[in-house]
Amino acid sequence: MSSEEKLRPAATQVVDLVLTEDCIYLDALPDAVEIEIVTPLSAVGRALDEGTPNELTQAVGLFLSCALPVAREMPGGLAEAVTELRFSLRAYAARSSAGR
């Protein structure tokens, strides 16, 4: 499985976990977490739907820079998904720079 094939599912997992249509999970998040992650996570969702691989990596990077300061306040499942996304982005970045 390529590094992009790992990045997309990891990003999708976080988006699907938080940005559901019923908003129950989102509404249950601590306010500090919700405030920091909703807008950049929406950008990740758009990049997954319509963006290029470069746009996805940029959106994920922005999301992670906003999410990491509040990671300790996240519920366990979200914290784990964010950690997996962070490792997937690192692997993708390392593979991309090695291929240049």
Side-chain angles (χ1 to χ4, degrees), residues 4-87:
E4 184 182 354
E5 290 171 335
K6 292 178 183 178
L7 180 62
R8 282 191 164 280
T12 300
Q13 179 183 4
V14 177
V15 169
D16 289 350
L17 180 62
V18 177
L19 300 180
T20 59
E21 289 189 25
D22 61 17
C23 297
I24 292 172
Y25 190 88
L26 178 62
D27 291 341
L29 289 175
D31 288 342
V33 174
E34 183 177 345
I35 289 167
E36 291 297 323
I37 71 167
V38 169
T39 300
L41 190 56
S42 295
V44 173
R46 281 190 305 277
L48 283 166
D49 291 341
E50 306 166 356
T52 64
N54 188 47
E55 291 168 333
L56 177 60
T57 59
Q58 288 177 351
V60 167
L62 174 63
F63 167 74
L64 290 173
S65 69
C66 294
L68 292 178
V70 294
R72 290 181 185 225
E73 298 177 52
M74 291 179 183
L78 179 57
E80 290 173 16
V82 169
T83 298
E84 184 177 329
L85 180 57
R86 185 167 44 102
F87 288 132

